[in-house]
Amino acid sequence: MSTLSEAYGDYPIPSDITPLDFNSIDKVPETHIWSQPDLQTHQYHPQDPIIPVIDLTDPNAIDQIRQACETLGMFQVINHGVPSVLVNKVESEIRRLFGLPIQEKCKVLRSPTGATGYGTARISPFYDKGMWHEGFTIMGSCLDDAKTLWPHDFQGFCDTMDAFQNQMKLLAHNLLRLIFQSLDATQEEINWATSSHGSQGALQLNSYPSCPNPDGTLGLAAHTDTLLLTLLHQGGGVNGLEIFVEGSGWTPVKPVEDGFVVNLGDLMHIFSNSKFPVVYHRVMVNQSKQRISAAYFCGPPVESVVAPSSKFRNPCFRPLVVKEYISLKAKHFNKALSLIGQE
Ligand SMILES: O=C(O)CCC(=O)C(=O)O
Ligand SMILES: [Fe+2]
């Protein structure tokens, strides 16, 4: 059976994926200076939408989730059951990783056909400017990379990331069950999204160093996430994440203590037959603080077929194998969804 890692590995990234050495520069280079409209910023408006914060122990949580999925495709959850001690450990391991000198981090640079390791964002080749960002991708065990980075001190990193991936998978599956129920999905469809063997996950660790000219560059340019659902921890309460809302523009997603951001991915847009929106988001940087985040992407088996739920009589997307969608996204980025649309 194919894995997510193989599905991504089939599409080598053509360009150099080495991030800048952020420790050694005091000025944003021309290669990383963006122009309008990419930099368009947010003007606060009293009618601006607020990203809902949903308490998962609230008996009405499912209704609030349905509402949030139908309007924004994004919400935050609290009382989700993930121990805060673990989240704190994840944060400190992320700081330990990105705090290494660039020569060390480059020892685990993603290979051109690889999906895991250190490097620039996967969306980088679709933009001609660089992003103020470095990332590290984990799918399953990160033992080899951790041993390379810390030959005598790798266990803490691996144990923490393993435990975190397990917790993320549990939470993602609980949320997927609620979201699928809110769509009246069949039990078979729920099993497809939440099977404990076949379902696929990836953990993306992100660092956005403090930036001498934050108004001229971007941490992560506008994109949608590919799989069904993403869980995101925004580290240290540092702002930066924004969602694009029709009619309001780029809207900040303020970190909530002990909360996770949940955002729907392209496969969920397909499964919901466009009932749930496509969720464009991006990350801005700031002058004084490093921002870190951990994003867990959750999807169905890569060999399975994704299609609008059987309850929709007029499907607006054609059915296709999940890894075929991953390859369309790797080649056509933001145009992938329109390529599978049908009347
Ligand atoms: O760092 C963030 O807040 C967002 C990260 C993100 O969108 C991603 O990794 O896909
Ligand atoms: Fe994202």
Side-chain angles (χ1 to χ4, degrees):
M1 191 171 57
S2 308
T3 61
L4 197 54
S5 166
E6 284 157 6
Y8 278 111
D10 285 346
Y11 296 91
I13 292 188
S15 50
D16 181 13
I17 59 158
T18 313
L20 288 180
D21 179 6
F22 295 103
N23 283 333
S24 73
I25 38 178
D26 48 18
K27 186 169 174 285
V28 179
E30 196 49 43
T31 50
H32 286 62
I33 297 282
W34 291 63
S35 52
Q36 297 289 349
D38 297 303
L39 290 174
Q40 210 156 52
T41 52
H42 179 74
Q43 308 292 330
Y44 178 74
H45 231 257
Q47 292 92 26
D48 277 349
I50 295 178
I51 315 303
V53 178
I54 301 176
D55 180 342
L56 288 183
T57 58
D58 184 329
N60 295 323
I62 186 160
D63 294 329
Q64 295 167 30
I65 288 175
R66 178 194 292 111
Q67 167 81 8
C69 288
E70 288 179 2
T71 50
L72 297 169
M74 184 184 271
F75 51 97
Q76 305 210 47
V77 289
I78 53 170
N79 288 328
H80 39 64
V82 181
S84 53
V85 178
L86 176 60
V87 178
N88 293 342
K89 275 193 197 159
V90 170
E91 259 195 62
S92 66
E93 291 295 349
I94 295 177
R95 292 185 199 284
R96 180 159 81 113
L97 168 71
F98 291 115
L100 290 169
I102 185 92
Q103 308 84 285
E104 292 297 308
K105 290 181 280 196
C106 281
K107 289 183 182 164
V108 294
L109 200 64
R110 268 191 337 259
S111 76
T113 54
T116 56
Y118 179 68
T120 53
R122 289 197 81 82
I123 61 171
S124 303
F126 297 99
Y127 289 97
D128 55 9
K129 292 295 182 175
M131 298 171 210
W132 204 258
H133 164 267
E134 52 185 334
F136 184 82
T137 314
I138 299 171
M139 294 180 188
S141 166
C142 54
L143 194 61
D144 292 345
D145 282 349
K147 277 185 170 166
T148 306
L149 291 171
W150 303 284
H152 307 292
D153 192 11
F154 54 86
Q155 204 62 51
F157 185 86
C158 293
D159 291 348
T160 303
M161 296 306 157
D162 287 351
F164 191 58
Q165 288 185 92
N166 289 337
Q167 287 288 326
M168 291 296 92
K169 189 168 182 166
L170 279 177
L171 177 57
H173 285 182
N174 285 341
L175 288 164
L176 284 170
R177 263 180 230 110
L178 293 173
I179 295 170
F180 272 51
Q181 277 165 19
S182 84
L183 276 174
D184 281 333
T186 63
Q187 189 58 46
E188 200 184 334
E189 290 169 335
I190 296 177
N191 294 347
W192 164 74
T194 61
S195 115
S196 55
H197 314 298
S199 84
Q200 298 283 328
L203 180 62
Q204 172 71 27
L205 311 180
N206 297 305
S207 163
Y208 311 87
S210 56
C211 176
N213 176 14
D215 299 333
T217 191
L218 280 176
L220 210 51
H223 68 283
T224 65
D225 293 350
T226 303
L227 303 182
L228 283 170
L229 171 148
T230 304
L231 291 176
L232 178 86
H233 167 68
Q234 311 195 68
V238 179
N239 289 327
L241 178 63
E242 296 183 346
I243 174 178
F244 189 81
V245 183
E246 216 52 65
S248 300
W250 288 106
T251 307
V253 186
K254 298 246 161 73
V256 165
E257 203 174 340
D258 287 329
F260 281 97
V261 176
V262 181
N263 82 265
L264 306 185
D266 299 352
L267 297 185
M268 188 67 92
H269 178 70
I270 298 171
F271 182 77
S272 76
N273 206 32
S274 301
K275 192 167 177 183
F276 298 162
V278 182
V279 185
Y280 276 95
H281 54 286
R282 70 175 186 184
V283 178
M284 308 305 278
V285 289
N286 77 81
Q287 196 153 19
S288 56
K289 288 186 189 141
Q290 176 195 25
R291 169 187 167 80
I292 57 164
S293 71
Y296 181 79
F297 308 111
C298 184
V302 291
E303 306 270 16
S304 66
V305 171
V306 58
S309 167
S310 55
K311 69 168 245 185
F312 296 109
R313 283 162 186 266
N314 295 309
C316 59
F317 295 103
R318 69 171 170 88
L320 79 171
V321 176
V322 170
K323 72 178 184 190
E324 192 193 333
Y325 185 72
I326 292 173
S327 79
L328 280 177
K329 186 81 182 272
K331 278 189 241 160
H332 303 285
F333 190 42
N334 287 340
K335 297 195 184 68
L337 280 170
S338 62
L339 295 173
I340 58 164
Q342 61 181 18
E343 285 304 307

